[in-house]
Amino acid sequence: MKRITIWALLVAAAFGWTGTASAVKPASTDSPFINVTTTPDRLDLGTAPFMGPHEVKAALTVEVDANCVHGPIYLSTTPLSRRNGGSIEPERVFVRTEATNGFVAIKRPVAISQTAKGSHKIVLDVRVDTPDGAPAGEYSGVFSLMIVPPV
């Protein structure tokens, strides 16, 4: 039985924006801000004892602290690569949140939340579909989060 250990690192990137002062109203002293953190900051996807879907037992929580409206948050990933060769492509990595309606492949950035105002939390469940013939070993990759301006 092949065992594949999969590791993923998480990098969070957030893009903020600023408002413009109006000639009629005085500028506000509160500048808009968005701060994104994750718990844990490193996600161990565990060991897959067989080929096929492997759901991570520990979830990742994305905490958004904001004092303004922000657009959807998107998640993307790099391929999960093995140091001595071999990789698991992003279309075999799936994510599930309240906004996704079940597991969705991360072959392109996936919206993990909708437009929101203020602070909130998003729980990410991750599943990896280990391909047949993938060499055993430790794999690593990077998840990236992007916040877009509201529409």
Side-chain angles (χ1 to χ4, degrees):
M1 196 180 317
K2 260 190 185 173
R3 293 179 65 88
I4 296 179
T5 303
I6 303 167
W7 293 85
L9 301 175
L10 179 73
V11 175
F15 296 98
W17 58 92
T18 58
T20 56
S22 168
V24 177
K25 296 180 183 178
S28 172
T29 58
D30 294 334
S31 296
F33 71 87
I34 301 172
N35 185 30
V36 177
T37 57
T38 59
T39 306
D41 60 353
R42 182 179 178 117
L43 183 63
D44 181 353
L45 298 178
T47 301
F50 52 85
M51 300 300 127
H54 172 70
E55 189 173 338
V56 178
K57 299 300 179 200
L60 179 72
T61 302
V62 177
E63 296 182 40
V64 180
D65 184 23
N67 68 349
C68 58
V69 175
H70 62 80
I73 299 174
Y74 286 86
L75 175 75
S76 61
T77 186
T78 62
L80 304 179
S81 300
R82 186 172 168 261
R83 187 177 325 170
N84 296 329
S87 67
I88 300 172
E89 296 303 314
E91 58 265 12
R92 291 184 163 274
V93 180
F94 299 82
V95 64
R96 176 178 62 191
T97 69
E98 289 182 4
T100 62
N101 265 341
F103 280 103
V104 177
I106 312 177
K107 54 187 164 190
R108 285 183 286 218
V110 173
I112 60 169
S113 75
Q114 302 300 323
T115 298
K117 180 177 184 176
S119 301
H120 56 96
K121 292 182 181 181
I122 305 162
V123 177
L124 300 175
D125 293 317
V126 179
R127 187 178 81 199
V128 177
D129 184 8
T130 310
D132 290 335
E138 291 185 4
Y139 288 73
S140 64
V142 177
F143 288 140
S144 298
L145 296 168
M146 179 179 60
I147 300 176
V148 298
V151 179

PDB file of all heavy atoms in Angstrom, residues 12 34-40 60-66 73 118-123 145 147:
ATOM      1  N   ALA A  12      -1.201  34.146   2.631  1.00  0.00           N
ATOM      2  CA  ALA A  12      -2.388  34.966   2.458  1.00  0.00           C
ATOM      3  C   ALA A  12      -1.994  36.319   1.900  1.00  0.00           C
ATOM      4  O   ALA A  12      -1.086  36.958   2.399  1.00  0.00           O
ATOM      5  CB  ALA A  12      -3.103  35.141   3.797  1.00  0.00           C
ATOM      6  N   ILE A  34      -8.374  46.095   5.813  1.00  0.00           N
ATOM      7  CA  ILE A  34      -8.712  44.676   5.766  1.00  0.00           C
ATOM      8  C   ILE A  34      -7.475  43.921   6.223  1.00  0.00           C
ATOM      9  O   ILE A  34      -6.391  44.136   5.693  1.00  0.00           O
ATOM     10  CB  ILE A  34      -9.089  44.219   4.348  1.00  0.00           C
ATOM     11  CG1 ILE A  34     -10.276  45.012   3.826  1.00  0.00           C
ATOM     12  CG2 ILE A  34      -9.390  42.723   4.327  1.00  0.00           C
ATOM     13  CD1 ILE A  34     -10.579  44.750   2.364  1.00  0.00           C
ATOM     14  N   ASN A  35      -7.657  43.059   7.199  1.00  0.00           N
ATOM     15  CA  ASN A  35      -6.552  42.242   7.694  1.00  0.00           C
ATOM     16  C   ASN A  35      -7.002  40.781   7.633  1.00  0.00           C
ATOM     17  O   ASN A  35      -8.064  40.436   8.131  1.00  0.00           O
ATOM     18  CB  ASN A  35      -6.200  42.646   9.129  1.00  0.00           C
ATOM     19  CG  ASN A  35      -4.997  41.916   9.654  1.00  0.00           C
ATOM     20  OD1 ASN A  35      -4.111  41.546   8.905  1.00  0.00           O
ATOM     21  ND2 ASN A  35      -4.968  41.704  10.949  1.00  0.00           N
ATOM     22  N   VAL A  36      -6.173  39.929   7.022  1.00  0.00           N
ATOM     23  CA  VAL A  36      -6.514  38.516   6.862  1.00  0.00           C
ATOM     24  C   VAL A  36      -5.479  37.667   7.581  1.00  0.00           C
ATOM     25  O   VAL A  36      -4.278  37.849   7.386  1.00  0.00           O
ATOM     26  CB  VAL A  36      -6.556  38.129   5.366  1.00  0.00           C
ATOM     27  CG1 VAL A  36      -6.847  36.645   5.204  1.00  0.00           C
ATOM     28  CG2 VAL A  36      -7.579  38.958   4.628  1.00  0.00           C
ATOM     29  N   THR A  37      -5.935  36.749   8.421  1.00  0.00           N
ATOM     30  CA  THR A  37      -5.045  35.795   9.080  1.00  0.00           C
ATOM     31  C   THR A  37      -5.638  34.398   8.917  1.00  0.00           C
ATOM     32  O   THR A  37      -6.828  34.244   8.627  1.00  0.00           O
ATOM     33  CB  THR A  37      -4.881  36.101  10.589  1.00  0.00           C
ATOM     34  OG1 THR A  37      -6.175  36.107  11.211  1.00  0.00           O
ATOM     35  CG2 THR A  37      -4.202  37.439  10.812  1.00  0.00           C
ATOM     36  N   THR A  38      -4.790  33.393   9.096  1.00  0.00           N
ATOM     37  CA  THR A  38      -5.258  32.014   9.009  1.00  0.00           C
ATOM     38  C   THR A  38      -4.835  31.251  10.261  1.00  0.00           C
ATOM     39  O   THR A  38      -3.825  31.544  10.870  1.00  0.00           O
ATOM     40  CB  THR A  38      -4.666  31.303   7.779  1.00  0.00           C
ATOM     41  OG1 THR A  38      -3.251  31.321   7.868  1.00  0.00           O
ATOM     42  CG2 THR A  38      -5.109  31.970   6.498  1.00  0.00           C
ATOM     43  N   THR A  39      -5.655  30.277  10.604  1.00  0.00           N
ATOM     44  CA  THR A  39      -5.358  29.398  11.720  1.00  0.00           C
ATOM     45  C   THR A  39      -5.592  27.972  11.256  1.00  0.00           C
ATOM     46  O   THR A  39      -6.691  27.662  10.807  1.00  0.00           O
ATOM     47  CB  THR A  39      -6.279  29.699  12.916  1.00  0.00           C
ATOM     48  OG1 THR A  39      -6.177  31.078  13.234  1.00  0.00           O
ATOM     49  CG2 THR A  39      -5.894  28.877  14.121  1.00  0.00           C
ATOM     50  N   PRO A  40      -4.622  27.124  11.284  1.00  0.00           N
ATOM     51  CA  PRO A  40      -3.212  27.366  11.565  1.00  0.00           C
ATOM     52  C   PRO A  40      -2.551  28.055  10.370  1.00  0.00           C
ATOM     53  O   PRO A  40      -3.150  28.139   9.293  1.00  0.00           O
ATOM     54  CB  PRO A  40      -2.638  25.968  11.775  1.00  0.00           C
ATOM     55  CG  PRO A  40      -3.501  25.084  10.928  1.00  0.00           C
ATOM     56  CD  PRO A  40      -4.879  25.702  10.952  1.00  0.00           C
ATOM     57  N   LEU A  60      -9.000  24.585   7.934  1.00  0.00           N
ATOM     58  CA  LEU A  60      -8.255  25.838   7.984  1.00  0.00           C
ATOM     59  C   LEU A  60      -9.275  26.954   8.149  1.00  0.00           C
ATOM     60  O   LEU A  60     -10.293  26.975   7.461  1.00  0.00           O
ATOM     61  CB  LEU A  60      -7.471  26.027   6.687  1.00  0.00           C
ATOM     62  CG  LEU A  60      -6.671  27.301   6.568  1.00  0.00           C
ATOM     63  CD1 LEU A  60      -5.457  27.251   7.483  1.00  0.00           C
ATOM     64  CD2 LEU A  60      -6.230  27.502   5.136  1.00  0.00           C
ATOM     65  N   THR A  61      -9.021  27.867   9.074  1.00  0.00           N
ATOM     66  CA  THR A  61      -9.921  28.987   9.290  1.00  0.00           C
ATOM     67  C   THR A  61      -9.271  30.269   8.795  1.00  0.00           C
ATOM     68  O   THR A  61      -8.139  30.576   9.170  1.00  0.00           O
ATOM     69  CB  THR A  61     -10.283  29.131  10.789  1.00  0.00           C
ATOM     70  OG1 THR A  61     -10.881  27.915  11.231  1.00  0.00           O
ATOM     71  CG2 THR A  61     -11.248  30.277  11.013  1.00  0.00           C
ATOM     72  N   VAL A  62      -9.984  30.991   7.940  1.00  0.00           N
ATOM     73  CA  VAL A  62      -9.541  32.295   7.449  1.00  0.00           C
ATOM     74  C   VAL A  62     -10.329  33.343   8.218  1.00  0.00           C
ATOM     75  O   VAL A  62     -11.558  33.341   8.190  1.00  0.00           O
ATOM     76  CB  VAL A  62      -9.805  32.447   5.931  1.00  0.00           C
ATOM     77  CG1 VAL A  62      -9.406  33.827   5.444  1.00  0.00           C
ATOM     78  CG2 VAL A  62      -9.078  31.366   5.152  1.00  0.00           C
ATOM     79  N   GLU A  63      -9.607  34.199   8.950  1.00  0.00           N
ATOM     80  CA  GLU A  63     -10.259  35.249   9.728  1.00  0.00           C
ATOM     81  C   GLU A  63     -10.038  36.582   9.036  1.00  0.00           C
ATOM     82  O   GLU A  63      -8.909  36.967   8.760  1.00  0.00           O
ATOM     83  CB  GLU A  63      -9.696  35.282  11.143  1.00  0.00           C
ATOM     84  CG  GLU A  63      -9.991  34.001  11.906  1.00  0.00           C
ATOM     85  CD  GLU A  63      -9.479  34.035  13.335  1.00  0.00           C
ATOM     86  OE1 GLU A  63      -9.596  35.083  13.978  1.00  0.00           O
ATOM     87  OE2 GLU A  63      -8.955  32.997  13.769  1.00  0.00           O
ATOM     88  N   VAL A  64     -11.139  37.274   8.745  1.00  0.00           N
ATOM     89  CA  VAL A  64     -11.084  38.561   8.072  1.00  0.00           C
ATOM     90  C   VAL A  64     -11.510  39.630   9.077  1.00  0.00           C
ATOM     91  O   VAL A  64     -12.603  39.570   9.627  1.00  0.00           O
ATOM     92  CB  VAL A  64     -12.013  38.587   6.841  1.00  0.00           C
ATOM     93  CG1 VAL A  64     -11.953  39.938   6.148  1.00  0.00           C
ATOM     94  CG2 VAL A  64     -11.658  37.466   5.889  1.00  0.00           C
ATOM     95  N   ASP A  65     -10.630  40.596   9.313  1.00  0.00           N
ATOM     96  CA  ASP A  65     -10.926  41.726  10.181  1.00  0.00           C
ATOM     97  C   ASP A  65     -10.970  42.954   9.281  1.00  0.00           C
ATOM     98  O   ASP A  65      -9.965  43.307   8.663  1.00  0.00           O
ATOM     99  CB  ASP A  65      -9.826  41.861  11.245  1.00  0.00           C
ATOM    100  CG  ASP A  65     -10.119  42.961  12.245  1.00  0.00           C
ATOM    101  OD1 ASP A  65     -11.312  43.330  12.408  1.00  0.00           O
ATOM    102  OD2 ASP A  65      -9.173  43.459  12.873  1.00  0.00           O
ATOM    103  N   ALA A  66     -12.128  43.574   9.160  1.00  0.00           N
ATOM    104  CA  ALA A  66     -12.287  44.696   8.249  1.00  0.00           C
ATOM    105  C   ALA A  66     -13.271  45.704   8.823  1.00  0.00           C
ATOM    106  O   ALA A  66     -14.171  45.345   9.581  1.00  0.00           O
ATOM    107  CB  ALA A  66     -12.775  44.205   6.892  1.00  0.00           C
ATOM    108  N   ILE A  73     -13.513  36.741  -1.604  1.00  0.00           N
ATOM    109  CA  ILE A  73     -12.164  36.264  -1.338  1.00  0.00           C
ATOM    110  C   ILE A  73     -11.961  35.022  -2.201  1.00  0.00           C
ATOM    111  O   ILE A  73     -12.812  34.126  -2.231  1.00  0.00           O
ATOM    112  CB  ILE A  73     -11.962  35.924   0.144  1.00  0.00           C
ATOM    113  CG1 ILE A  73     -12.178  37.176   0.987  1.00  0.00           C
ATOM    114  CG2 ILE A  73     -10.564  35.343   0.383  1.00  0.00           C
ATOM    115  CD1 ILE A  73     -12.147  36.943   2.481  1.00  0.00           C
ATOM    116  N   GLY A 118     -17.367  44.184   7.148  1.00  0.00           N
ATOM    117  CA  GLY A 118     -16.914  43.928   8.503  1.00  0.00           C
ATOM    118  C   GLY A 118     -16.182  42.611   8.654  1.00  0.00           C
ATOM    119  O   GLY A 118     -15.809  41.960   7.686  1.00  0.00           O
ATOM    120  N   SER A 119     -15.991  42.220   9.890  1.00  0.00           N
ATOM    121  CA  SER A 119     -15.199  41.035  10.221  1.00  0.00           C
ATOM    122  C   SER A 119     -16.024  39.759  10.118  1.00  0.00           C
ATOM    123  O   SER A 119     -17.218  39.761  10.402  1.00  0.00           O
ATOM    124  CB  SER A 119     -14.642  41.177  11.635  1.00  0.00           C
ATOM    125  OG  SER A 119     -13.845  42.336  11.715  1.00  0.00           O
ATOM    126  N   HIS A 120     -15.371  38.670   9.724  1.00  0.00           N
ATOM    127  CA  HIS A 120     -16.030  37.367   9.651  1.00  0.00           C
ATOM    128  C   HIS A 120     -14.985  36.270   9.530  1.00  0.00           C
ATOM    129  O   HIS A 120     -13.805  36.537   9.338  1.00  0.00           O
ATOM    130  CB  HIS A 120     -17.021  37.306   8.482  1.00  0.00           C
ATOM    131  CG  HIS A 120     -16.424  37.616   7.150  1.00  0.00           C
ATOM    132  ND1 HIS A 120     -15.994  36.650   6.282  1.00  0.00           N
ATOM    133  CD2 HIS A 120     -16.165  38.791   6.536  1.00  0.00           C
ATOM    134  CE1 HIS A 120     -15.514  37.204   5.198  1.00  0.00           C
ATOM    135  NE2 HIS A 120     -15.596  38.522   5.320  1.00  0.00           N
ATOM    136  N   LYS A 121     -15.441  35.006   9.657  1.00  0.00           N
ATOM    137  CA  LYS A 121     -14.559  33.833   9.554  1.00  0.00           C
ATOM    138  C   LYS A 121     -15.059  32.927   8.440  1.00  0.00           C
ATOM    139  O   LYS A 121     -16.250  32.806   8.221  1.00  0.00           O
ATOM    140  CB  LYS A 121     -14.533  33.050  10.868  1.00  0.00           C
ATOM    141  CG  LYS A 121     -13.874  33.775  12.003  1.00  0.00           C
ATOM    142  CD  LYS A 121     -13.850  32.913  13.244  1.00  0.00           C
ATOM    143  CE  LYS A 121     -13.203  33.685  14.376  1.00  0.00           C
ATOM    144  NZ  LYS A 121     -13.138  32.894  15.595  1.00  0.00           N
ATOM    145  N   ILE A 122     -14.102  32.277   7.773  1.00  0.00           N
ATOM    146  CA  ILE A 122     -14.417  31.317   6.716  1.00  0.00           C
ATOM    147  C   ILE A 122     -13.677  30.026   7.054  1.00  0.00           C
ATOM    148  O   ILE A 122     -12.469  30.045   7.267  1.00  0.00           O
ATOM    149  CB  ILE A 122     -13.935  31.822   5.347  1.00  0.00           C
ATOM    150  CG1 ILE A 122     -14.518  33.201   5.043  1.00  0.00           C
ATOM    151  CG2 ILE A 122     -14.283  30.828   4.251  1.00  0.00           C
ATOM    152  CD1 ILE A 122     -13.788  33.936   3.952  1.00  0.00           C
ATOM    153  N   VAL A 123     -14.394  28.917   7.113  1.00  0.00           N
ATOM    154  CA  VAL A 123     -13.785  27.620   7.380  1.00  0.00           C
ATOM    155  C   VAL A 123     -13.589  26.896   6.057  1.00  0.00           C
ATOM    156  O   VAL A 123     -14.533  26.739   5.276  1.00  0.00           O
ATOM    157  CB  VAL A 123     -14.658  26.771   8.331  1.00  0.00           C
ATOM    158  CG1 VAL A 123     -14.051  25.394   8.532  1.00  0.00           C
ATOM    159  CG2 VAL A 123     -14.835  27.487   9.662  1.00  0.00           C
ATOM    160  N   LEU A 145      -4.549  33.581  -0.964  1.00  0.00           N
ATOM    161  CA  LEU A 145      -5.858  34.213  -0.819  1.00  0.00           C
ATOM    162  C   LEU A 145      -5.780  35.606  -1.430  1.00  0.00           C
ATOM    163  O   LEU A 145      -4.799  36.317  -1.250  1.00  0.00           O
ATOM    164  CB  LEU A 145      -6.227  34.330   0.657  1.00  0.00           C
ATOM    165  CG  LEU A 145      -6.400  33.017   1.401  1.00  0.00           C
ATOM    166  CD1 LEU A 145      -6.471  33.260   2.894  1.00  0.00           C
ATOM    167  CD2 LEU A 145      -7.658  32.308   0.925  1.00  0.00           C
ATOM    168  N   ILE A 147      -8.271  39.143  -1.952  1.00  0.00           N
ATOM    169  CA  ILE A 147      -9.526  39.876  -1.744  1.00  0.00           C
ATOM    170  C   ILE A 147      -9.650  40.884  -2.862  1.00  0.00           C
ATOM    171  O   ILE A 147      -8.737  41.655  -3.111  1.00  0.00           O
ATOM    172  CB  ILE A 147      -9.530  40.596  -0.384  1.00  0.00           C
ATOM    173  CG1 ILE A 147      -9.382  39.589   0.748  1.00  0.00           C
ATOM    174  CG2 ILE A 147     -10.809  41.412  -0.222  1.00  0.00           C
ATOM    175  CD1 ILE A 147      -9.281  40.208   2.113  1.00  0.00           C
TER     176      ILE A 147
END
